[in-house]
Amino acid sequence: MGKLVGAHIVWDWNGTLFHDNDAIIGATNAAFAELGLEAITMEQYRTLYCVPVPKFYERLLGRLPTDAEWEVMDETFHRYYTEHRVTCGLTEGVAELLVEWRSAGRSQSILSMYGHDELVPLVRGFGIEEHFIRVDGRTGPSGGSKAEHMVRHIGALASVDPARTVVIGDAADDAVAALHVGARAVLYTGGSHSRASLEEVGVPVVDTLGEAVAEAERLAA
């Protein structure tokens, strides 16, 4: 099969298409409570958050969590998040953006570090699955980088040219993963990172997903 003529977007899920900030900060604080750490605000989270996640916890603990502590915090985080994600919805304007991009004859997919078995039914439940040529969540343990997952994701998209692919996400790790496969990246300020931390990465930073799509179209032209 030949390469697609049009541009391709690889969307991040959490904090990008899925506006789950409230569930994320609640789950983070629930995990912190297991180690006796004080709760943090969303602003503090967005300033300090980084990937891999144990490094984020190191910034707050002053040391890396032990394996036992990580297991407790990770389990607590995912249990709380699963309970509270039901109150979250798609980011404003997402449904229209997905339709417009697909209607223009371009392709798009999702790659998330959220567990694959949880991600797929969640995407399906919002009625947007048909807009994507592939939906991949994390396989294996949590806490790592997106780069290796991106290699597998792009490798499975035989008809997509990495040079005309743009990753849209809310974290520096999205840009790192994009560069790892020869793609471009646009970072969105509405999720887990502050604008200041995103601007350090050296890729375009935008405040809305509409701007992200416009920038992706320019980059992939």
Side-chain angles (χ1 to χ4, degrees):
M1 182 180 292
K3 299 295 183 185
L4 288 178
V5 175
H8 180 80
I9 290 176
V10 178
W11 291 96
D12 175 53
W13 179 248
N14 303 95
T16 304
L17 292 178
F18 189 44
H19 187 65
D20 59 351
N21 289 357
D22 288 345
I24 289 286
I25 190 64
T28 298
N29 283 328
F32 287 171
E34 291 292 331
L35 266 64
L37 295 173
E38 292 185 6
I40 63 172
T41 64
M42 191 68 211
E43 182 178 359
Q44 290 172 310
Y45 178 92
R46 284 162 50 81
T47 298
L48 295 170
Y49 182 75
C50 63
V51 173
V53 178
K55 283 286 187 181
F56 169 51
Y57 291 156
E58 181 182 23
R59 292 181 173 185
L60 294 150
L61 283 169
R63 59 175 176 79
L64 281 170
T66 66
D67 290 346
E69 288 171 336
W70 164 252
E71 287 182 13
V72 169
M73 295 175 80
D74 191 48
E75 190 278 330
T76 301
F77 177 94
H78 286 98
R79 184 179 69 249
Y80 183 101
Y81 179 83
T82 298
E83 292 172 358
H84 290 80
R85 74 182 186 199
V86 296
T87 64
C88 303
L90 297 176
T91 301
E92 184 178 357
V94 159
E96 294 81 4
L97 288 171
L98 297 178
V99 169
E100 290 169 5
W101 186 263
R102 183 185 178 201
S103 297
R106 307 181 184 106
S107 60
Q108 53 198 332
S109 59
I110 293 176
L111 175 63
S112 173
M113 293 298 280
Y114 192 45
H116 184 77
D117 291 343
E118 291 78 27
L119 173 68
V120 172
L122 190 54
V123 173
R124 187 173 297 144
F126 281 111
I128 59 174
E129 185 182 23
E130 65 178 352
H131 299 307
F132 306 104
I133 60 174
R134 188 173 182 89
V135 176
D136 283 334
R138 187 199 75 250
T139 56
S142 60
S145 172
K146 205 172 200 175
E148 293 182 4
H149 296 275
M150 186 66 74
V151 171
R152 289 191 290 272
H153 184 74
I154 294 296
L157 300 175
S159 59
V160 168
D161 182 359
R164 299 205 65 197
T165 296
V166 179
V167 177
I168 297 178
D170 68 317
D173 194 48
D174 291 302
V176 172
L179 296 173
H180 192 67
V181 296
R184 306 289 191 89
V186 178
L187 297 179
Y188 163 62
T189 63
S192 61
H193 280 42
S194 66
R195 171 175 272 278
S197 63
L198 293 178
E199 287 178 339
E200 293 176 359
V201 182
V203 302
V205 176
V206 298
D207 296 319
T208 70
L209 292 184
E211 292 174 285
V213 170
E215 188 67 17
E217 186 171 5
R218 183 186 72 80
L219 289 173

